[in-house]
Amino acid sequence: MHIEQADIEKFKKLGVYSAAELAILAPVRFEDRRLSPRLTEGIEQAIDATVESIQRTPRTVTITLFVHNFGHRIEGVLFNPKPYMLRFFVEGERALYYGRIDCRQGRCQMSHPQRIPEAGSLTPKYKTALRTDVMARLAARYITRENLLEEGLPPRVADALMGLHFPQTAPQKEPTPAELYALKYAELYSYMRSLRGKRRYFDVLQKLDNDWRRWAMQLPFLLTDEQTRAIEAIEADFKKPHAAKRMVVGDVGAGKTMVILAAMQMATPYRSVLMAPTTILANQLYEEARKFLPEKKILLVTNATPKKLPLEEADVLIGTHALLYRDLPEAALIMVDEQHRFGTAQRHRLEKLISDGARHPHYLQFSATPIPRTQAMIDSAHIDVSLITKTPFKKDITTTVIHKPDFPSLLSHIRGEIAQSHQVLIVYPLVEESENFGYQSIEEARGYWEKHFANVYVTHGKDREKEVILETFREQGDILLATTVIEVGISLPRLTTVVIVGAERLGLATLHQLRGRVSRTGLKGWCFLYTNLNESERLDAFRQTDNGFDIAALDLKYRKSGDLLKGSIQSGKKFLWADLAEDEGIVREVKAALSP
């Protein structure tokens, strides 16, 4: 579609760049300016009328109009008229007017009749950044069946959009099912096509094809089918001429670490680099790599690592964001764990440090925050995606919603777990006291726990010592009071109970991450959701669901979907029409249509 020079700024103002995106901005209503032989009360109508007389009072102007298409008289009334309005009414002159007609006791009036240049059409009214008449002219010029088909929309979608903007009969107030489907399809199609267009391909530094299956056979356990499929997808990526760009999303405890290690094995004899968001997580990954890749020389890089340490001697570098401030040797594979914990600039910086001009290393991202399947399909237009939805073993965690009267029995449970050398995590929504919040903060609550229990540790997001405290708690603690800083990453083998205070204030995905800290080694676990609400549909739904991807879909259902990849999800922007909680079928159709 060619956009005329005079219209380019209008398209920019609307934030659209195609006929399909323009068509998504549907009219909010229509003015029916066709002449009718019948007067219909209570609606806006067009009339063909001659001005017979004009009467003025200090506040009103009453115009007697003979309406030719009705064959009788009505009154036009202007309240507190501006001088320019009177120019549209000249005694003896015949013209077209538009307005709402109401009748009382045999007298019919049109309030503020608007003079119109022509009749005989349904006129769309838009609510956009442009004036409605400007938008209407733009729509008439560019929303054509030819343009919509040329952009790749199916004929039935194009036809429905044409009917929405240019109906033959007065439309319903809401879009028909066919029109709503077309709006959703066009929106998702435009969005996913733009993501696909932004994907860039780079020549690869090294093709990687070392065998991983022999290594996997020597593991003391079998990989799950989904772990294997994710590794095979990475294996196929590594053999292509362009650098891999894949995101692996695994549920809590789904075994992403083994996928990471398999990728390192495939990278042999070349170097791998893995960046994690915290020292604790980097340490855990380092220990796992040393255990399952004993033949490799593995180095841990944190802020405490000596600057003189020769990094080029390592086969594998595992570290925190400290990696970004070192002269890194060439590596064929870079990976980022818990990728959402890093800013885009940090992730790109790591990739750039190791890239050689137009040649790039393979790049894998990992996340333990499950996403809805609809989002995964949308993401796949921009980056390859693998999902690991099942855990290697089924956790036995009982989730219970509790209230203030349940506190004594909760205390009894906590004492029983501590007596078995198990650990308890209590998550508070705030660090410090807040008025009218309804729940205690960590600082308000810690006195009680420290008075009645030994080995109580406290940390939160603002705590500079939190990693040291978490390490010490893992070895020596009974109770940990924390904010959602504990949400991802750390492994606490003896943790069997999590109590989440003010649970209704957190998203379901966050609740799932917190619950996922429990029973990482197969112990019986408990998750207590403490709330002041008498009942909560959200918490009841969460209590009955343990699959992170199902919970992510539930989260969408309760908070509605946002704009997922353009960055505007942070400001709460919504899709105009698509609902990712309900429209998986349409997303699937669009993905298939865009597939090469």
Side-chain angles (χ1 to χ4, degrees):
M1 178 185 75
H2 171 72
I3 302 175
E4 295 178 17
Q5 190 67 34
D7 293 329
I8 289 175
E9 283 304 314
K10 299 184 184 77
F11 270 78
K12 285 183 180 177
K13 196 169 183 180
L14 292 169
V16 302
Y17 303 94
S18 67
E21 287 180 298
L22 189 65
I24 293 163
L25 304 176
V28 292
R29 63 187 178 88
F30 281 85
E31 289 182 353
D32 189 350
R33 295 187 174 182
R34 295 171 298 180
L35 292 173
S36 169
R38 278 198 352 259
L39 184 155
T40 306
E41 289 186 57
I43 67 166
E44 294 179 323
Q45 286 184 270
I47 59 173
D48 172 14
T50 297
V51 177
E52 291 190 334
S53 66
I54 301 173
Q55 294 179 309
R56 294 175 174 82
T57 70
R59 291 183 175 275
T60 62
V61 173
T62 302
I63 304 138
T64 302
L65 297 164
F66 180 80
V67 183
H68 297 279
N69 49 312
F70 296 160
H72 56 81
R73 291 171 180 78
I74 68 169
E75 290 178 346
V77 182
L78 303 175
F79 300 96
N80 299 314
K82 301 283 190 289
Y84 78 88
M85 295 180 180
L86 300 176
R87 295 202 302 270
F88 298 122
F89 303 93
V90 179
E91 285 190 16
E93 190 169 288
R94 183 170 176 173
L96 298 169
Y97 299 96
Y98 183 81
R100 176 188 170 105
I101 301 175
D102 292 293
C103 300
R104 288 181 185 172
Q105 298 177 342
R107 292 179 62 191
C108 295
Q109 287 187 341
M110 178 181 281
S111 297
H112 285 279
Q114 172 191 352
R115 187 160 172 168
I116 57 176
E118 59 184 7
S121 66
L122 287 164
T123 304
K125 294 294 176 182
Y126 293 90
K127 195 172 184 179
T128 69
L130 299 178
R131 213 172 61 225
T132 191
D133 59 322
V134 176
M135 176 65 193
R137 286 195 293 272
L138 211 63
R141 189 173 300 142
Y142 294 103
I143 301 175
T144 66
R145 191 174 192 272
E146 181 184 4
N147 282 344
L148 295 173
L149 293 176
E150 187 181 289
E151 290 177 8
L153 294 182
R156 69 176 178 133
V157 171
D159 290 339
L161 291 174
M162 291 299 294
L164 189 67
H165 285 269
F166 314 110
Q168 299 301 308
T169 58
Q172 302 173 19
K173 287 187 177 180
E174 299 293 329
T176 66
E179 289 168 346
L180 187 58
Y181 169 86
L183 288 165
K184 291 181 174 188
Y185 187 101
E187 182 171 36
L188 289 164
Y189 183 89
S190 300
Y191 186 66
M192 292 169 69
R193 187 178 63 168
S194 73
L195 288 178
R196 192 180 65 170
K198 289 175 185 174
R199 178 163 183 172
R200 298 175 65 195
Y201 293 92
F202 296 97
D203 292 337
V204 68
L205 280 171
Q206 300 289 347
K207 286 187 182 179
L208 306 179
D209 57 5
N210 191 54
D211 179 62
W212 61 274
R213 289 173 177 82
R214 189 179 297 112
W215 166 82
M217 291 293 290
Q218 294 170 356
L219 294 172
F221 47 79
L222 288 176
L223 298 175
T224 67
D225 289 344
E226 288 184 324
Q227 283 175 313
T228 301
R229 279 198 293 273
I231 295 168
E232 288 173 343
I234 293 168
E235 179 183 33
D237 291 345
F238 284 172
K239 292 179 179 177
K240 292 175 183 175
H242 53 260
K245 195 166 188 181
R246 180 172 293 275
M247 179 168 65
V248 179
V249 184
D251 203 348
V252 180
K256 294 189 321 309
T257 301
M258 300 317 297
V259 179
I260 291 171
L261 299 181
M264 291 175 176
Q265 178 68 20
M266 283 187 273
T268 306
Y270 303 103
R271 187 177 292 107
S272 303
V273 177
L274 171 63
M275 185 168 71
T278 66
T279 303
I280 292 174
L281 185 53
N283 260 306
Q284 288 175 190
L285 291 164
Y286 171 70
E287 293 299 335
E288 292 286 292
R290 287 183 62 197
K291 179 178 177 181
F292 293 110
L293 297 171
E295 296 176 5
K296 290 187 177 293
K297 183 171 183 182
I298 302 165
L299 285 182
L300 179 66
V301 181
T302 68
N303 288 330
T305 304
K307 295 286 185 184
K308 294 181 180 179
L309 193 70
L311 304 185
E312 64 277 1
E313 294 181 6
D315 301 314
V316 175
L317 295 173
I318 297 175
T320 61
H321 61 277
L323 288 165
L324 301 174
Y325 305 98
R326 303 292 292 261
D327 290 327
L328 296 179
E330 184 175 286
L333 169 64
I334 58 174
M335 295 179 281
V336 179
D337 197 17
E338 299 301 342
Q339 54 86 25
H340 62 282
R341 299 280 294 276
F342 293 99
T344 303
Q346 288 178 309
R347 298 198 300 266
H348 287 174
R349 182 173 178 179
L350 179 64
E351 189 176 10
K352 196 172 180 181
L353 280 171
I354 297 175
S355 298
D356 178 15
R359 293 166 65 233
H360 281 225
H362 295 290
Y363 183 49
L364 303 178
Q365 303 176 54
F366 295 82
S367 174
T369 303
I371 58 177
R373 290 172 181 82
T374 45
Q375 183 183 341
M377 283 188 278
I378 287 175
D379 288 0
S380 67
H382 179 61
I383 183 173
D384 297 312
V385 180
S386 293
L387 301 183
I388 306 177
T389 65
K390 295 181 175 64
T391 56
F393 61 89
K394 185 80 171 173
K395 285 188 178 183
D396 182 11
I397 302 177
T398 300
T399 304
T400 308
V401 179
I402 61 172
H403 305 85
K404 196 169 185 178
D406 301 308
F407 192 66
S409 60
L410 175 66
L411 288 177
S412 176
H413 169 85
I414 289 173
R415 290 192 182 98
E417 289 301 298
I418 292 173
Q420 299 176 64
S421 296
H422 296 161
Q423 294 176 315
V424 176
L425 166 64
I426 305 175
V427 179
Y428 284 90
L430 288 177
V431 177
E432 296 172 350
E433 182 181 358
S434 174
E435 291 183 18
N436 303 321
F437 190 69
Y439 296 101
Q440 285 188 316
S441 65
I442 286 182
E443 291 304 321
E444 290 173 286
R446 67 183 297 173
Y448 174 85
W449 296 106
E450 289 170 341
K451 179 181 177 182
H452 292 88
F453 292 88
N455 304 319
V456 175
Y457 289 76
V458 180
T459 190
H460 49 79
K462 297 176 185 176
D463 184 0
R464 292 184 178 180
E465 301 297 317
K466 62 178 175 286
E467 293 197 6
V468 175
I469 290 170
L470 289 173
E471 287 278 17
T472 310
F473 169 75
R474 179 163 61 183
E475 303 305 321
Q476 304 173 17
D478 290 335
I479 295 177
L480 176 65
L481 309 182
T483 57
T484 55
V485 66
I486 197 76
E487 180 184 334
V488 292
I490 186 168
S491 176
L492 299 169
R494 294 189 291 126
L495 186 69
T496 59
T497 299
V498 59
V499 182
I500 305 169
V501 179
E504 80 282 355
R505 303 185 67 87
L506 298 176
L508 299 186
T510 300
L511 292 178
H512 182 64
Q513 290 290 331
L514 291 169
R515 181 170 60 183
R517 300 300 100 212
V518 168
S519 299
R520 305 271 293 192
T521 51
L523 294 170
K524 167 66 184 168
W526 287 268
C527 173
F528 295 99
L529 307 173
Y530 187 94
T531 177
N532 289 337
L533 298 179
N534 291 328
E535 55 184 43
S536 169
E537 183 184 343
R538 284 175 70 254
L539 295 183
D540 285 339
F542 173 79
R543 182 176 57 79
Q544 297 171 44
T545 313
D546 59 11
N547 181 284
F549 292 87
D550 292 339
I551 285 167
L554 275 176
D555 222 359
L556 270 182
K557 174 184 172 184
Y558 287 112
R559 65 180 169 83
K560 288 301 177 186
S561 50
D563 190 344
L564 294 164
L565 286 175
K566 287 184 178 175
S568 39
I569 187 171
Q570 293 154 356
S571 60
K573 180 181 174 184
K574 304 286 190 291
F575 278 115
L576 281 175
W577 302 104
D579 183 340
L580 298 189
E582 298 174 357
D583 295 331
E584 181 177 337
I586 302 176
V587 174
R588 199 179 299 280
E589 289 179 45
V590 171
K591 179 175 165 58
L594 286 170
S595 297

